[in-house]
Amino acid sequence: MDKFAVLQFYGLLKREVLEHKNLFIGAPTVVALLILVATTWVATQIDQNQLAEGLRYVSILFDGLSPFDMAPFFMLVAIPFYLTLYVCSVIYLINTLYQDRKEMSILFWQSMPVSNFQTVLSKIVAIVLVAPIFYVLIIFAMYLIAMVWLTILGISNDVDLVGIGWMFLAAIASLVLIYISAFVTSLWLLPSIGWLLLFSAFAKKTPLLWAGGVFILVGFLEDFVFGTQYLANWVASRTSDPNQYLIFEFQSVFERIFNYDTLFGIVVGSILIAGAVFMRRFTD
Amino acid sequence: MKDLILRNRYTLLIVTLVVYMSVLVAEGMVTGREVRAIEFENPYFDMNFNELEKFRERRSNDDDDDIRARFDDAGDV
């Protein structure tokens, strides 16, 4: 890949981030602030002696243990961020190609030396690889503030926080898990990403309604035409168990990515993404 | 063929969906994919969505028996 193509792609990614600052940066910042405010409020409601005892217990809990073994503890803190990322991703994917046509900026971008494939790929990379980076950075900032706050609390309550360094290392290790987990989830849900992009490129109005309505219609059609329910079965088998894509240990990363279900999902998602790329031809 | 597929947005959507469905149905037939029904485990009650299908079949059989019984009771009309 030549340098110009890399710069082109970087420009496309930068455009996505600048145009969707609220989804990439604003939303996780609000969640982090809410968590910090809620935690502070809870800490003010607890008796000082109990708080000191709790600090001592948490500090001892992490002392001397491998940060990689303790990292899954911090995955619980990431759950609100995951939910926010999913909601923001759906909003972003269903609107992104539709918005281009609505405000006619598609004509400008098609006059640029970038192909429709590059444009759609930049939107997928933005949500699969770039958005989780911002989320992880904001979680890191939240952890830093929390560690400083814990240290101040420990000093003011005369508690020896022996394991706070280990706790911080576990929190850092969890950031890697959170990022990989978000990436694997995106690969697992690539058919959903492709579906939303296809209808974002297709619909003249209300793309979310089209995406939902056609999904239900296709399910009924399969039942009528083939007399089978493989579509419904497939969707149910991919959404009913979050353990299929959330990662709680580093050892399971390889098997989560390179298994039949994930790879088949990537193939199916690619069909829908190809449809979205070709759909960009119709600019009206 | 290419002209036909790319004639307008609707033909392209239909072709994409047909390909998508064909791949899914073919894969489902080959692998015999079955739905992984949601089992909601809790200490208070058991809930398994697989059982709803059995319940529906049983209910349907019971209804058939009821209709047959009522028809027999009516005698010759």
Side-chain angles (χ1 to χ4, degrees):
Chain A
M1 193 184 275
D2 62 300
K3 195 181 172 187
F4 181 66
V6 174
L7 282 174
Q8 266 181 330
F9 201 73
Y10 173 73
L12 285 170
L13 285 179
K14 197 172 175 184
R15 171 212 172 193
E16 294 305 320
V17 174
L18 289 175
E19 283 188 358
H20 301 93
K21 276 184 197 163
N22 287 343
L23 299 182
F24 287 96
I25 301 165
T29 308
V30 169
V31 173
L33 287 174
L34 283 175
I35 290 174
L36 283 173
V37 169
T39 316
T40 313
W41 181 78
V42 169
T44 55
Q45 301 299 310
I46 300 173
D47 178 58
Q48 286 295 309
N49 291 331
Q50 283 182 327
L51 186 67
E53 196 57 39
L55 281 173
R56 198 171 290 117
Y57 175 74
V58 169
S59 174
I60 292 166
L61 182 71
F62 286 87
D63 189 29
L65 293 175
S66 164
F68 293 104
D69 291 339
M70 301 304 280
F73 271 98
F74 288 90
M75 295 292 281
L76 283 175
V77 183
I79 289 172
F81 290 94
Y82 277 126
L83 294 174
T84 311
L85 180 60
Y86 295 155
V87 172
C88 288
S89 300
V90 170
I91 295 168
Y92 169 78
L93 290 166
I94 201 67
N95 281 314
T96 183
L97 296 175
Y98 170 71
Q99 206 69 29
D100 278 3
R101 284 181 295 119
K102 195 180 170 189
E103 62 196 22
M104 300 307 275
S105 64
I106 188 171
L107 298 176
F108 170 74
W109 288 105
Q110 287 190 338
S111 72
M112 292 279 112
V114 286
S115 63
N116 285 332
F117 173 69
Q118 281 176 308
T119 309
V120 173
L121 189 66
S122 74
K123 291 173 189 299
I124 296 166
V125 171
I127 215 67
V128 173
L129 291 172
V130 179
I133 292 176
F134 287 103
Y135 278 67
V136 163
L137 286 176
I138 287 162
I139 295 171
F140 175 66
M142 190 183 79
Y143 284 162
L144 269 182
I145 294 168
M147 288 296 160
V148 171
W149 184 58
L150 273 180
T151 311
I152 293 168
L153 273 180
I155 292 167
S156 60
N157 286 290
D158 204 21
V159 177
D160 187 14
L161 296 171
V162 283
I164 197 155
W166 292 102
M167 189 202 262
F168 188 62
L169 286 177
I172 299 294
S174 80
L175 294 177
V176 182
L177 266 185
I178 291 166
Y179 183 80
I180 295 173
S181 213
F183 170 67
V184 173
T185 306
S186 303
L187 287 185
W188 181 260
L189 297 174
L190 201 66
S192 311
I193 291 175
W195 187 268
L196 292 172
L197 280 174
L198 178 67
F199 285 94
S200 183
F202 166 78
K204 288 184 177 176
K205 279 182 183 175
T206 57
L208 191 59
L209 207 61
W210 269 99
V214 174
F215 178 75
I216 294 167
L217 190 70
V218 165
F220 279 120
L221 269 179
E222 190 211 333
D223 207 350
F224 287 137
V225 176
F226 298 105
T228 58
Q229 293 177 346
Y230 291 117
L231 179 67
N233 288 357
W234 190 66
V235 172
S237 70
R238 291 181 80 83
T239 52
S240 56
D241 184 9
N243 287 321
Q244 290 167 314
Y245 46 84
L246 287 181
I247 291 172
F248 292 99
E249 52 186 8
F250 289 99
Q251 291 87 342
S252 60
V253 174
F254 189 82
E255 78 179 68
R256 289 291 163 86
I257 295 175
F258 295 100
N259 68 59
Y260 172 75
D261 283 332
T262 308
L263 295 176
F264 180 67
I266 292 172
V267 170
V268 173
S270 304
I271 294 169
L272 297 168
I273 290 165
V277 171
F278 283 115
M279 197 68 82
R280 289 268 295 175
R281 288 166 178 240
F282 308 109
T283 54
D284 57 322
Chain B
M1 187 69 175
K2 192 181 170 189
D3 290 341
L4 180 72
I5 294 170
L6 297 175
R7 181 181 288 177
N8 58 45
R9 65 176 68 233
Y10 300 101
T11 54
L12 178 58
L13 180 72
I14 288 167
V15 170
T16 310
L17 292 180
V18 166
V19 173
Y20 166 73
M21 275 181 70
S22 307
V23 170
L24 275 188
V25 171
E27 193 267 352
M29 282 175 172
V30 170
T31 59
R33 187 184 291 279
E34 285 182 10
V35 66
R36 293 175 199 168
I38 298 166
E39 286 180 33
F40 185 64
E41 285 183 17
N42 64 80
Y44 306 107
F45 59 89
D46 295 328
M47 191 160 101
N48 183 348
F49 282 89
N50 266 334
E51 288 168 3
L52 286 180
E53 194 63 29
K54 288 178 193 166
F55 173 74
R56 206 177 68 178
E57 283 171 15
R58 201 170 57 233
R59 174 84 189 269
S60 167
N61 291 338
D62 290 348
D63 285 349
D64 289 349
D65 290 343
D66 280 354
I67 291 167
R68 204 172 294 120
R70 252 183 275 149
F71 185 75
D72 289 343
D73 289 346
D76 294 332
V77 180

